[in-house]
Amino acid sequence: MAVCEVCSNDYEKAFEVRAAGVVHIFDSFECAAQRLAPSCENCQCRILGHGLQSNGQFFCCAHCARQKGHAQLVDHA
């Protein structure tokens, strides 16, 4: 079995994710998101879908981007 790098659970159905040349092992998508997904600069939620980016900052939506002074960003939903 493999041990999750986030919660240390030793789980028979653990899986690997390769990102930027590094192999990560997780026991759930929740742990994978906790380790790999960026956080919104405004509300700190994990960005699991198509977020927005400006000047190296990540946002979950245009509203949060506007709160941090990035008025040019718009949602594409």
Side-chain angles (χ1 to χ4, degrees), residues 14-33:
F15 58 92
E16 292 183 358
V17 174
R18 297 175 190 272
V22 178
V23 177
H24 301 274
I25 298 174
F26 304 109
D27 70 339
S28 67
F29 288 116
E30 290 87 355
C31 285

Side-chain angles (χ1 to χ4, degrees), residues 1-19 22-37 48:
M1 292 195 286
V3 176
C4 177
E5 67 182 61
V6 173
C7 69
S8 301
N9 185 28
D10 191 6
Y11 186 50
E12 66 185 31
K13 294 179 180 153
F15 58 92
E16 292 183 358
V17 174
R18 297 175 190 272
V22 178
V23 177
H24 301 274
I25 298 174
F26 304 109
D27 70 339
S28 67
F29 288 116
E30 290 87 355
C31 285
Q34 182 65 32
R35 181 59 49 98
L36 299 176
L48 301 179

